[in-house]
Amino acid sequence: MSLSSDDAQKLVEFLQFLDQNKDLMVGYNTKVPVETYLMIGSLTVLVFDYLITFDREVNYVWSSPWSLGLPLFYINRYVPFVDLALFIHIQLSYLTNERCHQHVSVATWLVSFPSFFGQMIIVLRTCALWQNNRLIVSFLLLVSCATLAVTSFFTAKVLANMTFAPKPSFLRGCYIFQDSKISLYIYIPLFVGELIIITLTVIKAAEHLRQNRTAWLSQLYRNGIFYCICILGLSLSNIIVPQTKLPYVYKQCLRLPQHVFHSMFCNRVVFQLFEYRYHTAHNRQYHASTTLSDPDPSPEQYVSTDNHVSSSVFLDNITAKTDDVELNTLPSSRATTSVDRDHWIT
């Protein structure tokens, strides 16, 4: 194979770089591209999850009226397909280092912001669990804004300090190197924010489940806490693994899997809430048709929310509150029921 003078020069620089940075290049293998396999595997998991939950989206989300939670849901649901496809394109294409930097920067920001929007879904849900307590709402919004500011600052710093190994045009992909100590500061605020959310959820779960152990309420808390623990574990792994003595390529391997599972878990929380709201809406129609024949509902009658993003329902024999991604007003069912008015968090 004949080389152009430019490729010949870059090949010499590439070989010199390999000799000078042997520790950084450990793990890079064109025959077994670990990063590419992880990206394709993450996309496969995301596609599989999409296919098995698409019917729930059609049945419970598409028919939902417009609300703040819908754009958050759709961003968290669909943008990961775009950024994963872009990362795979980067790994399989012949790109110059300049084009590599442009593509990687776009893909990295596409990962950062949808992850934040997904976390906002959980934050709004946590605020609803605490019945819009002003202190909790203010604290969580402050934590969310601080997390966004810190992660955005260090993401920009990582991208500014990102370097690429010089390579000739006949080599695929981008050989990216970042300062793992800087990227560490991206995941620390995420971990702290997620730890706060799960702590508040566990506290409220213990309080509610002492009063009422309905199957749906138990499932809501069980699934929500499980999802948060998984996300928390992945964030912790992304803090610990880059500080180990593993080859550089393996230190970054959990970033995209965390992004994918974060999206999936947040979507499942929303699906659960949308699905319950859908069924309670139909049950409400049925109960409305039997109101005249049964003017005094039993203590086990459910109180459901109106038509916003999602709802959780408690029994009338305790204080009824919403557990919405977006908070709205509950209709009062009886004078003996303590039903408070919740409002939107924007």
PDB file of all heavy atoms in Angstrom, residues 216 273-287 301-306 310-313:
ATOM      1  N   TRP A 216     -49.989  -1.407  44.925  1.00  0.00           N
ATOM      2  CA  TRP A 216     -49.416  -0.459  43.961  1.00  0.00           C
ATOM      3  C   TRP A 216     -48.456   0.496  44.636  1.00  0.00           C
ATOM      4  O   TRP A 216     -47.403   0.820  44.095  1.00  0.00           O
ATOM      5  CB  TRP A 216     -50.521   0.328  43.260  1.00  0.00           C
ATOM      6  CG  TRP A 216     -49.972   1.171  42.164  1.00  0.00           C
ATOM      7  CD1 TRP A 216     -49.740   0.789  40.878  1.00  0.00           C
ATOM      8  CD2 TRP A 216     -49.557   2.532  42.263  1.00  0.00           C
ATOM      9  NE1 TRP A 216     -49.202   1.836  40.164  1.00  0.00           N
ATOM     10  CE2 TRP A 216     -49.077   2.912  40.986  1.00  0.00           C
ATOM     11  CE3 TRP A 216     -49.537   3.462  43.286  1.00  0.00           C
ATOM     12  CZ2 TRP A 216     -48.596   4.179  40.719  1.00  0.00           C
ATOM     13  CZ3 TRP A 216     -49.046   4.739  43.030  1.00  0.00           C
ATOM     14  CH2 TRP A 216     -48.583   5.081  41.757  1.00  0.00           C
ATOM     15  N   LEU A 273     -46.201   5.364  36.363  1.00  0.00           N
ATOM     16  CA  LEU A 273     -47.137   6.401  36.787  1.00  0.00           C
ATOM     17  C   LEU A 273     -48.194   6.679  35.723  1.00  0.00           C
ATOM     18  O   LEU A 273     -49.383   6.820  36.024  1.00  0.00           O
ATOM     19  CB  LEU A 273     -46.356   7.677  37.125  1.00  0.00           C
ATOM     20  CG  LEU A 273     -45.361   7.540  38.278  1.00  0.00           C
ATOM     21  CD1 LEU A 273     -44.528   8.806  38.422  1.00  0.00           C
ATOM     22  CD2 LEU A 273     -46.082   7.235  39.579  1.00  0.00           C
ATOM     23  N   PHE A 274     -47.760   6.760  34.453  1.00  0.00           N
ATOM     24  CA  PHE A 274     -48.722   6.976  33.370  1.00  0.00           C
ATOM     25  C   PHE A 274     -49.734   5.839  33.305  1.00  0.00           C
ATOM     26  O   PHE A 274     -50.928   6.057  33.086  1.00  0.00           O
ATOM     27  CB  PHE A 274     -47.987   7.067  32.025  1.00  0.00           C
ATOM     28  CG  PHE A 274     -47.604   8.458  31.631  1.00  0.00           C
ATOM     29  CD1 PHE A 274     -46.271   8.838  31.605  1.00  0.00           C
ATOM     30  CD2 PHE A 274     -48.558   9.385  31.264  1.00  0.00           C
ATOM     31  CE1 PHE A 274     -45.906  10.114  31.235  1.00  0.00           C
ATOM     32  CE2 PHE A 274     -48.204  10.664  30.888  1.00  0.00           C
ATOM     33  CZ  PHE A 274     -46.865  11.035  30.873  1.00  0.00           C
ATOM     34  N   GLU A 275     -49.241   4.625  33.466  1.00  0.00           N
ATOM     35  CA  GLU A 275     -50.124   3.460  33.369  1.00  0.00           C
ATOM     36  C   GLU A 275     -51.173   3.486  34.475  1.00  0.00           C
ATOM     37  O   GLU A 275     -52.361   3.219  34.217  1.00  0.00           O
ATOM     38  CB  GLU A 275     -49.296   2.176  33.455  1.00  0.00           C
ATOM     39  CG  GLU A 275     -50.115   0.911  33.343  1.00  0.00           C
ATOM     40  CD  GLU A 275     -49.249  -0.337  33.347  1.00  0.00           C
ATOM     41  OE1 GLU A 275     -48.003  -0.202  33.387  1.00  0.00           O
ATOM     42  OE2 GLU A 275     -49.814  -1.443  33.318  1.00  0.00           O
ATOM     43  N   TYR A 276     -50.752   3.834  35.671  1.00  0.00           N
ATOM     44  CA  TYR A 276     -51.728   3.859  36.757  1.00  0.00           C
ATOM     45  C   TYR A 276     -52.746   4.970  36.550  1.00  0.00           C
ATOM     46  O   TYR A 276     -53.935   4.784  36.817  1.00  0.00           O
ATOM     47  CB  TYR A 276     -51.017   4.029  38.102  1.00  0.00           C
ATOM     48  CG  TYR A 276     -51.953   3.724  39.236  1.00  0.00           C
ATOM     49  CD1 TYR A 276     -52.198   2.403  39.609  1.00  0.00           C
ATOM     50  CD2 TYR A 276     -52.627   4.735  39.895  1.00  0.00           C
ATOM     51  CE1 TYR A 276     -53.077   2.107  40.624  1.00  0.00           C
ATOM     52  CE2 TYR A 276     -53.511   4.446  40.914  1.00  0.00           C
ATOM     53  CZ  TYR A 276     -53.737   3.122  41.278  1.00  0.00           C
ATOM     54  OH  TYR A 276     -54.623   2.835  42.282  1.00  0.00           O
ATOM     55  N   ARG A 277     -52.287   6.115  36.051  1.00  0.00           N
ATOM     56  CA  ARG A 277     -53.230   7.198  35.795  1.00  0.00           C
ATOM     57  C   ARG A 277     -54.253   6.799  34.742  1.00  0.00           C
ATOM     58  O   ARG A 277     -55.431   7.131  34.835  1.00  0.00           O
ATOM     59  CB  ARG A 277     -52.487   8.459  35.337  1.00  0.00           C
ATOM     60  CG  ARG A 277     -53.355   9.706  35.396  1.00  0.00           C
ATOM     61  CD  ARG A 277     -52.782  10.819  34.564  1.00  0.00           C
ATOM     62  NE  ARG A 277     -52.867  10.482  33.158  1.00  0.00           N
ATOM     63  CZ  ARG A 277     -52.435  11.276  32.185  1.00  0.00           C
ATOM     64  NH1 ARG A 277     -51.836  12.399  32.496  1.00  0.00           N
ATOM     65  NH2 ARG A 277     -52.558  10.934  30.931  1.00  0.00           N
ATOM     66  N   TYR A 278     -53.791   6.077  33.732  1.00  0.00           N
ATOM     67  CA  TYR A 278     -54.692   5.614  32.674  1.00  0.00           C
ATOM     68  C   TYR A 278     -55.785   4.723  33.245  1.00  0.00           C
ATOM     69  O   TYR A 278     -56.967   4.892  32.949  1.00  0.00           O
ATOM     70  CB  TYR A 278     -53.870   4.849  31.632  1.00  0.00           C
ATOM     71  CG  TYR A 278     -54.685   4.205  30.543  1.00  0.00           C
ATOM     72  CD1 TYR A 278     -55.061   4.915  29.400  1.00  0.00           C
ATOM     73  CD2 TYR A 278     -55.063   2.868  30.631  1.00  0.00           C
ATOM     74  CE1 TYR A 278     -55.803   4.314  28.396  1.00  0.00           C
ATOM     75  CE2 TYR A 278     -55.805   2.250  29.642  1.00  0.00           C
ATOM     76  CZ  TYR A 278     -56.167   2.986  28.519  1.00  0.00           C
ATOM     77  OH  TYR A 278     -56.897   2.380  27.538  1.00  0.00           O
ATOM     78  N   HIS A 279     -55.391   3.779  34.101  1.00  0.00           N
ATOM     79  CA  HIS A 279     -56.378   2.852  34.659  1.00  0.00           C
ATOM     80  C   HIS A 279     -57.300   3.546  35.659  1.00  0.00           C
ATOM     81  O   HIS A 279     -58.499   3.240  35.705  1.00  0.00           O
ATOM     82  CB  HIS A 279     -55.663   1.672  35.314  1.00  0.00           C
ATOM     83  CG  HIS A 279     -55.025   0.744  34.337  1.00  0.00           C
ATOM     84  ND1 HIS A 279     -55.741   0.066  33.369  1.00  0.00           N
ATOM     85  CD2 HIS A 279     -53.719   0.383  34.155  1.00  0.00           C
ATOM     86  CE1 HIS A 279     -54.922  -0.672  32.638  1.00  0.00           C
ATOM     87  NE2 HIS A 279     -53.684  -0.502  33.096  1.00  0.00           N
ATOM     88  N   THR A 280     -56.774   4.468  36.450  1.00  0.00           N
ATOM     89  CA  THR A 280     -57.640   5.167  37.397  1.00  0.00           C
ATOM     90  C   THR A 280     -58.626   6.073  36.673  1.00  0.00           C
ATOM     91  O   THR A 280     -59.735   6.296  37.154  1.00  0.00           O
ATOM     92  CB  THR A 280     -56.816   5.998  38.394  1.00  0.00           C
ATOM     93  OG1 THR A 280     -55.922   6.861  37.692  1.00  0.00           O
ATOM     94  CG2 THR A 280     -56.018   5.102  39.330  1.00  0.00           C
ATOM     95  N   ALA A 281     -58.222   6.614  35.502  1.00  0.00           N
ATOM     96  CA  ALA A 281     -59.153   7.428  34.727  1.00  0.00           C
ATOM     97  C   ALA A 281     -60.347   6.587  34.278  1.00  0.00           C
ATOM     98  O   ALA A 281     -61.503   7.023  34.331  1.00  0.00           O
ATOM     99  CB  ALA A 281     -58.446   8.042  33.526  1.00  0.00           C
ATOM    100  N   HIS A 282     -60.063   5.335  33.829  1.00  0.00           N
ATOM    101  CA  HIS A 282     -61.154   4.460  33.424  1.00  0.00           C
ATOM    102  C   HIS A 282     -61.983   4.026  34.633  1.00  0.00           C
ATOM    103  O   HIS A 282     -63.215   3.928  34.550  1.00  0.00           O
ATOM    104  CB  HIS A 282     -60.593   3.227  32.701  1.00  0.00           C
ATOM    105  CG  HIS A 282     -60.150   3.508  31.301  1.00  0.00           C
ATOM    106  ND1 HIS A 282     -59.033   4.265  31.004  1.00  0.00           N
ATOM    107  CD2 HIS A 282     -60.693   3.158  30.098  1.00  0.00           C
ATOM    108  CE1 HIS A 282     -58.889   4.356  29.689  1.00  0.00           C
ATOM    109  NE2 HIS A 282     -59.888   3.705  29.117  1.00  0.00           N
ATOM    110  N   ASN A 283     -61.329   3.776  35.753  1.00  0.00           N
ATOM    111  CA  ASN A 283     -62.069   3.407  36.959  1.00  0.00           C
ATOM    112  C   ASN A 283     -62.953   4.564  37.429  1.00  0.00           C
ATOM    113  O   ASN A 283     -64.065   4.355  37.930  1.00  0.00           O
ATOM    114  CB  ASN A 283     -61.102   3.015  38.073  1.00  0.00           C
ATOM    115  CG  ASN A 283     -60.421   1.695  37.816  1.00  0.00           C
ATOM    116  OD1 ASN A 283     -60.924   0.881  37.037  1.00  0.00           O
ATOM    117  ND2 ASN A 283     -59.274   1.467  38.437  1.00  0.00           N
ATOM    118  N   ARG A 284     -62.458   5.802  37.261  1.00  0.00           N
ATOM    119  CA  ARG A 284     -63.232   6.964  37.670  1.00  0.00           C
ATOM    120  C   ARG A 284     -64.512   7.067  36.849  1.00  0.00           C
ATOM    121  O   ARG A 284     -65.566   7.425  37.368  1.00  0.00           O
ATOM    122  CB  ARG A 284     -62.382   8.228  37.518  1.00  0.00           C
ATOM    123  CG  ARG A 284     -63.058   9.490  38.049  1.00  0.00           C
ATOM    124  CD  ARG A 284     -62.058  10.617  38.175  1.00  0.00           C
ATOM    125  NE  ARG A 284     -61.397  10.860  36.906  1.00  0.00           N
ATOM    126  CZ  ARG A 284     -60.099  11.155  36.798  1.00  0.00           C
ATOM    127  NH1 ARG A 284     -59.345  11.220  37.868  1.00  0.00           N
ATOM    128  NH2 ARG A 284     -59.564  11.385  35.621  1.00  0.00           N
ATOM    129  N   GLN A 285     -64.415   6.751  35.552  1.00  0.00           N
ATOM    130  CA  GLN A 285     -65.612   6.770  34.715  1.00  0.00           C
ATOM    131  C   GLN A 285     -66.624   5.742  35.199  1.00  0.00           C
ATOM    132  O   GLN A 285     -67.830   5.991  35.244  1.00  0.00           O
ATOM    133  CB  GLN A 285     -65.233   6.507  33.261  1.00  0.00           C
ATOM    134  CG  GLN A 285     -64.393   7.614  32.636  1.00  0.00           C
ATOM    135  CD  GLN A 285     -63.956   7.267  31.220  1.00  0.00           C
ATOM    136  OE1 GLN A 285     -64.243   6.189  30.715  1.00  0.00           O
ATOM    137  NE2 GLN A 285     -63.258   8.194  30.578  1.00  0.00           N
ATOM    138  N   TYR A 286     -66.097   4.582  35.574  1.00  0.00           N
ATOM    139  CA  TYR A 286     -66.997   3.535  36.067  1.00  0.00           C
ATOM    140  C   TYR A 286     -67.638   3.950  37.384  1.00  0.00           C
ATOM    141  O   TYR A 286     -68.855   3.794  37.580  1.00  0.00           O
ATOM    142  CB  TYR A 286     -66.213   2.232  36.248  1.00  0.00           C
ATOM    143  CG  TYR A 286     -66.996   1.163  36.975  1.00  0.00           C
ATOM    144  CD1 TYR A 286     -67.982   0.427  36.313  1.00  0.00           C
ATOM    145  CD2 TYR A 286     -66.767   0.909  38.327  1.00  0.00           C
ATOM    146  CE1 TYR A 286     -68.711  -0.535  36.979  1.00  0.00           C
ATOM    147  CE2 TYR A 286     -67.496  -0.056  39.004  1.00  0.00           C
ATOM    148  CZ  TYR A 286     -68.462  -0.776  38.314  1.00  0.00           C
ATOM    149  OH  TYR A 286     -69.183  -1.728  38.982  1.00  0.00           O
ATOM    150  N   HIS A 287     -66.838   4.494  38.294  1.00  0.00           N
ATOM    151  CA  HIS A 287     -67.389   4.906  39.585  1.00  0.00           C
ATOM    152  C   HIS A 287     -68.375   6.062  39.431  1.00  0.00           C
ATOM    153  O   HIS A 287     -69.347   6.149  40.172  1.00  0.00           O
ATOM    154  CB  HIS A 287     -66.257   5.307  40.538  1.00  0.00           C
ATOM    155  CG  HIS A 287     -65.425   4.156  40.995  1.00  0.00           C
ATOM    156  ND1 HIS A 287     -65.958   3.023  41.562  1.00  0.00           N
ATOM    157  CD2 HIS A 287     -64.077   3.960  40.953  1.00  0.00           C
ATOM    158  CE1 HIS A 287     -64.989   2.179  41.861  1.00  0.00           C
ATOM    159  NE2 HIS A 287     -63.839   2.716  41.497  1.00  0.00           N
ATOM    160  N   GLN A 301     -62.083   3.209  48.684  1.00  0.00           N
ATOM    161  CA  GLN A 301     -62.220   3.875  47.389  1.00  0.00           C
ATOM    162  C   GLN A 301     -60.987   4.706  47.079  1.00  0.00           C
ATOM    163  O   GLN A 301     -60.502   5.436  47.921  1.00  0.00           O
ATOM    164  CB  GLN A 301     -63.445   4.786  47.407  1.00  0.00           C
ATOM    165  CG  GLN A 301     -63.664   5.553  46.110  1.00  0.00           C
ATOM    166  CD  GLN A 301     -64.040   4.619  45.005  1.00  0.00           C
ATOM    167  OE1 GLN A 301     -64.840   3.728  45.192  1.00  0.00           O
ATOM    168  NE2 GLN A 301     -63.448   4.797  43.852  1.00  0.00           N
ATOM    169  N   TYR A 302     -60.478   4.595  45.889  1.00  0.00           N
ATOM    170  CA  TYR A 302     -59.294   5.345  45.507  1.00  0.00           C
ATOM    171  C   TYR A 302     -59.625   6.782  45.138  1.00  0.00           C
ATOM    172  O   TYR A 302     -60.673   7.070  44.589  1.00  0.00           O
ATOM    173  CB  TYR A 302     -58.600   4.694  44.303  1.00  0.00           C
ATOM    174  CG  TYR A 302     -57.827   3.461  44.659  1.00  0.00           C
ATOM    175  CD1 TYR A 302     -58.272   2.211  44.239  1.00  0.00           C
ATOM    176  CD2 TYR A 302     -56.664   3.548  45.404  1.00  0.00           C
ATOM    177  CE1 TYR A 302     -57.562   1.084  44.564  1.00  0.00           C
ATOM    178  CE2 TYR A 302     -55.949   2.417  45.727  1.00  0.00           C
ATOM    179  CZ  TYR A 302     -56.410   1.190  45.307  1.00  0.00           C
ATOM    180  OH  TYR A 302     -55.702   0.074  45.617  1.00  0.00           O
ATOM    181  N   VAL A 303     -58.680   7.653  45.423  1.00  0.00           N
ATOM    182  CA  VAL A 303     -58.748   9.029  44.956  1.00  0.00           C
ATOM    183  C   VAL A 303     -57.675   9.193  43.909  1.00  0.00           C
ATOM    184  O   VAL A 303     -56.518   8.916  44.150  1.00  0.00           O
ATOM    185  CB  VAL A 303     -58.479  10.018  46.110  1.00  0.00           C
ATOM    186  CG1 VAL A 303     -58.509  11.445  45.592  1.00  0.00           C
ATOM    187  CG2 VAL A 303     -59.510   9.834  47.214  1.00  0.00           C
ATOM    188  N   SER A 304     -58.040   9.646  42.735  1.00  0.00           N
ATOM    189  CA  SER A 304     -57.052   9.770  41.669  1.00  0.00           C
ATOM    190  C   SER A 304     -56.837  11.222  41.321  1.00  0.00           C
ATOM    191  O   SER A 304     -57.640  12.080  41.626  1.00  0.00           O
ATOM    192  CB  SER A 304     -57.505   9.005  40.418  1.00  0.00           C
ATOM    193  OG  SER A 304     -58.669   9.592  39.925  1.00  0.00           O
ATOM    194  N   THR A 305     -55.749  11.472  40.632  1.00  0.00           N
ATOM    195  CA  THR A 305     -55.443  12.830  40.233  1.00  0.00           C
ATOM    196  C   THR A 305     -56.158  13.169  38.950  1.00  0.00           C
ATOM    197  O   THR A 305     -56.783  12.336  38.318  1.00  0.00           O
ATOM    198  CB  THR A 305     -53.936  12.997  40.006  1.00  0.00           C
ATOM    199  OG1 THR A 305     -53.541  12.080  39.001  1.00  0.00           O
ATOM    200  CG2 THR A 305     -53.150  12.743  41.265  1.00  0.00           C
ATOM    201  N   ASP A 306     -56.036  14.428  38.548  1.00  0.00           N
ATOM    202  CA  ASP A 306     -56.614  14.863  37.287  1.00  0.00           C
ATOM    203  C   ASP A 306     -55.747  14.401  36.139  1.00  0.00           C
ATOM    204  O   ASP A 306     -55.113  13.377  36.214  1.00  0.00           O
ATOM    205  CB  ASP A 306     -56.781  16.383  37.293  1.00  0.00           C
ATOM    206  CG  ASP A 306     -57.897  16.817  38.238  1.00  0.00           C
ATOM    207  OD1 ASP A 306     -58.787  15.997  38.472  1.00  0.00           O
ATOM    208  OD2 ASP A 306     -57.839  17.951  38.745  1.00  0.00           O
ATOM    209  N   SER A 310     -48.594  12.227  35.513  1.00  0.00           N
ATOM    210  CA  SER A 310     -48.657  10.929  36.140  1.00  0.00           C
ATOM    211  C   SER A 310     -49.223  11.088  37.518  1.00  0.00           C
ATOM    212  O   SER A 310     -49.250  12.157  38.077  1.00  0.00           O
ATOM    213  CB  SER A 310     -47.261  10.326  36.210  1.00  0.00           C
ATOM    214  OG  SER A 310     -46.388  11.258  36.769  1.00  0.00           O
ATOM    215  N   SER A 311     -49.687  10.002  38.072  1.00  0.00           N
ATOM    216  CA  SER A 311     -50.291  10.123  39.380  1.00  0.00           C
ATOM    217  C   SER A 311     -50.029   8.891  40.198  1.00  0.00           C
ATOM    218  O   SER A 311     -49.942   7.797  39.697  1.00  0.00           O
ATOM    219  CB  SER A 311     -51.795  10.331  39.246  1.00  0.00           C
ATOM    220  OG  SER A 311     -52.374   9.237  38.611  1.00  0.00           O
ATOM    221  N   SER A 312     -49.920   9.099  41.487  1.00  0.00           N
ATOM    222  CA  SER A 312     -50.004   7.969  42.371  1.00  0.00           C
ATOM    223  C   SER A 312     -51.179   8.221  43.272  1.00  0.00           C
ATOM    224  O   SER A 312     -51.576   9.345  43.511  1.00  0.00           O
ATOM    225  CB  SER A 312     -48.750   7.785  43.184  1.00  0.00           C
ATOM    226  OG  SER A 312     -48.766   8.601  44.295  1.00  0.00           O
ATOM    227  N   VAL A 313     -51.741   7.167  43.782  1.00  0.00           N
ATOM    228  CA  VAL A 313     -53.000   7.266  44.488  1.00  0.00           C
ATOM    229  C   VAL A 313     -52.860   6.619  45.841  1.00  0.00           C
ATOM    230  O   VAL A 313     -52.306   5.541  45.972  1.00  0.00           O
ATOM    231  CB  VAL A 313     -54.117   6.571  43.689  1.00  0.00           C
ATOM    232  CG1 VAL A 313     -55.439   6.706  44.392  1.00  0.00           C
ATOM    233  CG2 VAL A 313     -54.189   7.144  42.294  1.00  0.00           C
TER     234      VAL A 313
END
